[in-house]
Amino acid sequence: MTVLNKSFDGLPYYLKPCFLYMSIFPKDREVSRRRLVRRWIAEGYSREVRGRSADEIAEGDFMELISRSMLRPSQQSIHGRKGVDACQVHDLIREISIKKSTEEDFVFTLEEDKMSLLRVLDLEGTPGLADHHLQHIGKLLHLKYFSIRGCDDIHHLPHSLGNLRQLQTLDVRDTRILKLPKTIIKLRMLTYLRLGRKSTDKKVSYEKLEEKLSNSMGNNRLCLLTSGSVMLCAACCAPRRFGYSEDKNCHDICTAACCARLPAVAKRLDSHSGHKKLTWLRKLAVTGINGRNGEKFCSAINNLNRLESLSIQSEGDPGLCECLHWMTSPPENLQSLKLYDNRIKLPRWVQRLQHLVKLNLRSTRLSGHDGDVEVLGRMPNLAILHLLEKSFQGEELHFQIGIFRSLTVLVLRNFGDIKLVKFDQGAMPKLEQLQVRNDWRVSAETGCSANEVAFSSLDFLPSIKEARLWLNIIPDEQLKEIPDEVFLKASNFEEHFRTQLANNPRNPILKVGELENED
C-alpha cells in the first residue's frame, strides 16, 4: 500500500482528479472509455488547451493512466482508432482512490436540495427507469452530461430538455426513443449525441402488441389523433392489466403504446421544425436515408464541420449514390465513415476525405472495374478498412501495388461472388492484421452455399503480424445433422489459408475463431 500511495502522490496534478473519479464506480465494474472520457469533460477535468480539444486532452489522460498502471485495460483492440475500449481498477488501487477521495472531500452524497447543481447524471443501464421519472429533468440547469443508455422502458424525452443549455453529452442509445423533442435545437453546447438501437436488437412485434392492447381494452380501439404537435391516445385509459408494472403511470402507458404501435407517427418530424443545426456535433449515425430525404440530409451534414464520425444507412431505392451526390462540402475533419447501402458507386466526395482513418462498407456492391478500390487505396490516412457483406461485386478482389499505404487493419467478411483475393507485391506495406470471416449456410434442400474463396500472395505483406480466421457454419432449422462434406470443405479452406500465410517470412500468428465486432 505504501508503494501504491507513492504512485498516486507521483501523479501529475491534472491526472489526480481523473483517477479519484474512479472511486464512484462499483467494485470490479468495467467502465467504457467512451463513458469515462465524456464524464471527465463534463466535470471540467479536461478542457481545450493550446489548440487541443477537450476530447483529445481527455483521451490522452485516459491513456496516460493506463500507461502508469493506475487503470487496467479490460478491452484492447487495434480494431478501433483508440486502442483501448474499456478499463477496470485493481482492488488495491480502488481502495486508495476511495481513501483519498474521502480525505479530500472529492466524493460525497448529494441531498435533494442540492441536486440542482449536478453536472453529470449517468443513469446508463438503470433498471425500472420510466418516462415519468424524467419529468423534471429540465430543472438541472447545470447538467453537462446526461445518459439513459440501455434503459429499455424509456420512450420519450420531455420538452423541458431544452432548458439544459449547458448540456454537452446526450446518450439515449438502446432506449425506445424514436423522436427527439423539438426543443433539442436549443442545446447549443451539445457536442456528443448517441441515438438508435444495436443492429442485433429484436424488432417489435406490432401484431402481437395490437392483440395485447385489444384484449386489455375490450371494445376500446387504440386511436392516435395528431394535429400539429398535439398527440392524443386512447391508451391513456387502458387498465393496468395492460402488462406494465404498477409503478408506471398512464402517461408512460400512453407513450409506450404510441411509440411501439405506431412508430411511423411517433417519429414524425414536424415540417415547420426546420434543420437541427447541431454544429458542434462530433459523431452521428443515421438510418433510413432515401431519395426523398437525401438532399435535406446532405444540406444538414454540410454544416457539421466538426463532425469526426459518420454512419449512414440507406433504405430502399435508389440507394446512397443518388442520395449523397448532393453533398457539396463533406465534413473536412471526418475520421470514421460507415456506409451501409445497396448502391453501386462511391460518392465522389469520399476521395476528398483526407483525414479519414476508418472506413466500413456493407452492401455497397462496389466494382473493381470502376476504380473504386484505387480510389479508396489513394486515401492518405486510411488505417482501418472493413469490407463486409456484399461490399464488392465481381469474382476478383485485387489489391494492386502502391495503394493502401497507411492501412494497418483489413477486415473481409462474407465474399459474395468473389473467388480470389489477390495482393500485389508492394500493396499494403503497413498492414499488421488481416481478419477473414466466411459464413457458410447449409440447407436440407440446396446443401452448402459455401464460398470457397482463394487467397493469393499473402507472402507479399511485409508487415503483417497477425491473421484471424472465422468459418461460421449456419445450418437450416430443418437440418438434423450437418453433412461431413461441409466440415471437410471448411477444413480445406482453413488449410489453404494457413498454407498461404505460412509462406510469409514474417511468420504471422494465426488465430482461428477469434474476430472482433466490426462496429
Side-chain angles (χ1 to χ4, degrees):
M1 291 297 292
T2 301
V3 173
L4 293 177
N5 273 298
K6 288 183 178 180
S7 297
F8 171 78
D9 294 336
L11 288 176
Y13 72 93
Y14 57 85
L15 285 182
K16 287 185 177 180
C18 297
F19 170 72
L20 294 179
Y21 199 74
M22 301 306 296
S23 62
I24 294 175
F25 297 99
K27 183 179 179 181
D28 299 326
R29 173 66 58 86
E30 183 177 85
V31 185
S32 73
R33 184 199 74 252
R34 172 262 316 162
R35 187 181 188 182
L36 189 57
V37 163
R38 298 307 309 175
R39 286 177 60 158
W40 283 348
I41 294 172
E43 296 286 7
Y45 304 155
S46 304
R47 300 178 182 177
E48 184 174 344
V49 177
R50 298 174 184 173
R52 295 183 65 198
S53 68
D55 294 78
E56 292 174 319
I57 298 293
E59 295 281 0
D61 292 345
F62 179 84
M63 294 308 300
E64 188 170 353
L65 285 174
I66 292 285
S67 66
R68 289 173 176 266
S69 300
M70 303 302 284
L71 298 181
R72 181 174 59 190
S74 56
Q75 290 184 24
Q76 285 187 284
S77 170
I78 68 171
H79 204 56
R81 294 178 292 135
K82 305 299 183 181
V84 178
D85 295 331
C87 70
Q88 288 178 306
V89 180
H90 191 279
D91 290 348
L92 290 178
I93 296 180
R94 182 174 178 271
E95 288 183 22
I96 291 177
S97 69
I98 294 174
K99 178 174 177 290
K100 295 291 185 180
S101 297
T102 304
E103 291 175 354
E104 301 182 17
D105 289 330
F106 185 81
V107 175
F108 52 90
T109 302
L110 282 176
E111 297 181 5
E112 191 172 351
D113 62 338
K114 297 180 181 179
M115 289 290 288
S116 60
L117 301 178
L118 208 62
R119 290 190 296 263
V120 170
L121 181 57
D122 190 346
L123 301 174
E124 180 172 333
T126 302
L129 193 70
D131 292 314
H132 68 276
H133 293 135
L134 306 180
Q135 183 178 356
H136 301 295
I137 190 68
K139 294 182 179 181
L140 304 181
L141 300 181
H142 297 278
L143 208 61
K144 294 185 177 182
Y145 178 104
F146 178 45
S147 174
I148 51 174
R149 187 184 183 110
C151 296
D152 200 51
D153 289 328
I154 298 293
H155 295 81
H156 93 298
L157 291 171
H159 289 286
S160 63
L161 185 78
N163 297 339
L164 308 181
R165 304 300 176 88
Q166 302 300 315
L167 196 66
Q168 299 173 357
T169 295
L170 176 61
D171 193 338
V172 297
R173 185 170 172 82
D174 298 330
T175 64
R176 296 290 176 181
I177 292 173
L178 295 176
K179 178 184 177 182
L180 293 175
K182 291 190 295 183
T183 52
I184 195 173
I185 63 175
K186 297 180 181 180
L187 306 182
R188 302 302 177 117
M189 301 297 291
L190 194 65
T191 61
Y192 188 93
L193 175 63
R194 289 302 299 269
L195 305 163
R197 298 184 67 84
K198 295 177 181 177
S199 58
T200 56
D201 185 52
K202 294 182 179 179
K203 295 182 179 179
V204 177
S205 176
Y206 301 114
E207 293 78 10
K208 291 184 178 179
L209 180 58
E210 182 177 15
E211 180 182 354
K212 190 174 184 180
L213 281 168
S214 300
N215 293 337
S216 297
M217 299 176 66
N219 295 326
N220 294 329
R221 299 297 296 169
L222 177 67
C223 62
L224 185 70
L225 307 177
T226 64
S227 175
S229 60
V230 179
M231 305 180 73
L232 302 174
C233 179
C236 287
C237 302
R240 288 193 175 181
R241 59 192 179 90
F242 183 62
Y244 294 96
S245 57
E246 288 293 319
D247 65 331
K248 291 191 177 182
N249 58 21
C250 291
H251 183 269
D252 294 330
I253 297 176
C254 173
T255 306
C258 292
C259 290
R261 176 63 183 90
L262 298 171
V265 179
K267 66 181 179 181
R268 174 181 53 84
L269 293 177
D270 295 326
S271 58
H272 60 271
S273 63
H275 294 305
K276 293 172 176 58
K277 298 181 179 179
L278 305 176
T279 54
W280 285 85
L281 209 61
R282 296 183 184 274
K283 186 169 185 175
L284 174 65
V286 295
T287 61
I289 301 301
N290 53 43
R292 296 187 303 276
N293 57 30
E295 183 177 0
K296 290 184 179 180
F297 171 73
C298 290
S299 176
I301 293 296
N302 283 333
N303 297 320
L304 303 183
N305 295 325
R306 294 178 177 84
L307 201 65
E308 296 178 356
S309 177
L310 175 62
S311 176
I312 309 174
Q313 182 168 329
S314 71
E315 184 176 275
D317 294 330
L320 289 183
C321 184
E322 295 298 322
C323 301
L324 297 185
H325 76 277
W326 299 100
M327 192 88 70
T328 56
S329 55
E332 59 183 18
N333 293 315
L334 205 63
Q335 299 176 27
S336 175
L337 176 64
K338 299 176 182 179
L339 298 178
Y340 300 152
D341 192 17
N342 56 351
R343 34 171 305 282
I344 58 173
K345 186 68 178 175
L346 274 177
R348 294 182 179 179
W349 51 264
V350 169
Q351 58 189 307
R352 293 158 51 189
L353 302 177
Q354 298 298 298
H355 299 288
L356 198 69
V357 174
K358 181 177 181 179
L359 177 64
N360 284 25
L361 299 176
R362 185 175 68 207
S363 300
T364 48
R365 302 180 187 275
L366 303 183
S367 172
H369 299 295
D370 293 335
D372 290 325
V373 177
E374 288 77 8
V375 169
L376 299 179
R378 288 194 295 269
M379 304 184 78
N381 294 300
L382 188 63
I384 303 170
L385 177 62
H386 293 210
L387 300 180
L388 309 178
E389 293 90 340
K390 301 177 182 178
S391 55
F392 272 84
Q393 59 183 355
E395 294 190 353
E396 182 176 304
L397 183 55
H398 187 188
F399 299 107
Q400 299 178 352
I401 185 172
I403 63 174
F404 295 106
R405 302 195 66 83
S406 298
L407 204 68
T408 58
V409 178
L410 174 62
V411 178
L412 303 174
R413 175 169 175 171
N414 293 343
F415 298 91
D417 297 328
I418 294 175
K419 304 298 182 184
L420 176 64
V421 178
K422 181 179 180 180
F423 298 87
D424 283 354
Q425 189 168 10
M428 302 188 184
K430 296 182 180 180
L431 188 71
E432 296 182 3
Q433 186 185 92
L434 173 63
Q435 292 196 24
V436 175
R437 170 171 173 164
N438 209 359
D439 290 338
W440 291 4
R441 300 188 179 277
V442 185
S443 169
E445 297 180 358
T446 61
C448 180
S449 61
N451 185 356
E452 299 176 65
V453 62
F455 285 80
S456 175
S457 307
L458 292 183
D459 53 321
F460 286 159
L461 301 174
S463 301
I464 190 167
K465 299 178 180 178
E466 179 182 281
R468 299 186 180 187
L469 179 64
W470 187 10
L471 304 180
N472 189 26
I473 299 175
I474 307 174
D476 188 279
E477 292 182 358
Q478 300 177 350
L479 194 65
K480 296 181 179 180
E481 187 177 9
I482 300 176
D484 291 339
E485 63 180 273
V486 177
F487 293 106
L488 180 61
K489 287 183 178 181
S491 178
N492 291 339
F493 183 90
E494 179 183 335
E495 186 61 29
H496 159 75
F497 189 85
R498 190 183 297 273
T499 301
Q500 282 285 319
L501 199 65
N503 292 329
N504 192 293
R506 293 275 300 183
N507 295 320
I509 298 171
L510 175 61
K511 296 182 179 180
V512 179
E514 296 184 27
L515 291 183
E516 297 176 15
N517 192 315
E518 69 269 15
D519 293 328

